[in-house]
Amino acid sequence: MDARLEIITPAADTMLAPIADLRAAAGLSRSDASRDEELTALGKRISAEIVDACGIAVGKGAEPTLRKERVRETFRCSGNEVLVLARRHNVEIVTVTENGAEVTLDARSVDVEAGLVERWVDGRRTCWQARETVVAYDAGFDIVPPSLSGIVTDLARIRLSEASSDPLVKATTVDVDGVDSVRTERWVGGLAASDGSGFPAGFAARLERFMNRAIG
């Protein structure tokens, strides 16, 4: 099955956490806008890294995102029982056409979280037989789930902490007995993730729901 993805209406905002939450992560009042330029840049960067880590499909016309946008996906297939949409989460089908003719789907046709579309027409489940099937749909989060925005703010808090101190320092001990003596313990190998995600250990598991994994 071959497919092509186009972005019809890009997301107006690709940030996965509100600026007020990023201010709080930086230790500021939620209404303190003094560092908004810095925090917005950091939030966008972390959001993009999460999108990359989750394997969100790239479409023509805009950068990939987990935020809500309208897309058009063209499938060239024959005999498939299900169409696997490139984008997931809160899927709302706008139109489906087969070789240019609109298809009216049964209510049971769409798995809105997994992004799967079956061909239920007039109460019967059949295969997708058309040479070209075009699906226009909305997908992604209009309101970002707290579990996802929390990952962004936690990562922001870590990045901001690293920026203000040496991230390789594990502990520092100062003895004062006539003459100062300072001992510094460092993390061996730094703070690289142990789970291969590119994030500190444990974050990949928190992103599991949002991962776009191949099916079939």
Side-chain angles (χ1 to χ4, degrees), residues 4-79:
R4 182 176 73 247
L5 181 67
E6 303 169 275
I7 310 304
I8 300 173
T9 308
D13 182 7
T14 60
M15 288 261 285
L16 296 177
I19 188 63
D21 289 359
L22 293 170
R23 292 168 183 162
L28 303 174
S29 162
R30 296 176 67 86
S31 60
D32 183 348
S34 61
R35 295 176 63 185
D36 276 9
E37 183 176 356
E38 171 197 356
L39 295 175
T40 297
L42 177 61
K44 287 182 177 180
R45 184 165 65 251
I46 292 173
S47 296
E49 291 172 0
I50 287 174
V51 166
D52 287 344
C54 289
I56 305 305
V58 179
K60 180 181 179 181
E63 290 297 310
T65 182
L66 280 158
R67 298 299 301 269
K68 181 180 180 179
E69 56 187 3
R70 180 160 296 182
V71 304
R72 180 190 298 113
E73 195 164 359
T74 302
F75 298 86
R76 294 180 177 85
C77 56
S78 178

Side-chain angles (χ1 to χ4, degrees), residues 101-134:
E102 188 165 349
V103 178
T104 301
L105 298 178
D106 188 285
R108 76 195 90 179
S109 298
V110 184
D111 184 325
V112 300
E113 174 67 11
L116 306 177
V117 185
E118 297 177 337
R119 194 182 188 283
W120 285 81
V121 180
D122 297 328
R124 296 175 58 247
R125 181 183 177 186
T126 61
C127 292
W128 297 96
Q129 298 285 3
R131 174 180 52 82
E132 181 177 88
T133 301
V134 180

Side-chain angles (χ1 to χ4, degrees), residues 131-192:
R131 174 180 52 82
E132 181 177 88
T133 301
V134 180
V135 185
Y137 62 98
D138 295 335
F141 299 108
D142 191 15
I143 299 175
V144 178
S147 59
L148 182 55
S149 61
I151 294 171
V152 177
T153 53
D154 286 348
L155 286 170
R157 193 173 292 109
I158 291 171
R159 301 281 175 84
L160 291 165
S161 176
E162 289 177 349
S164 63
S165 61
D166 186 344
L168 300 183
V169 174
K170 180 178 180 182
T172 300
T173 303
V174 179
D175 296 326
V176 181
D177 187 13
V179 178
D180 288 350
S181 174
V182 179
R183 296 191 304 275
T184 300
E185 298 178 57
R186 293 180 176 269
W187 294 101
V188 177
L191 296 178

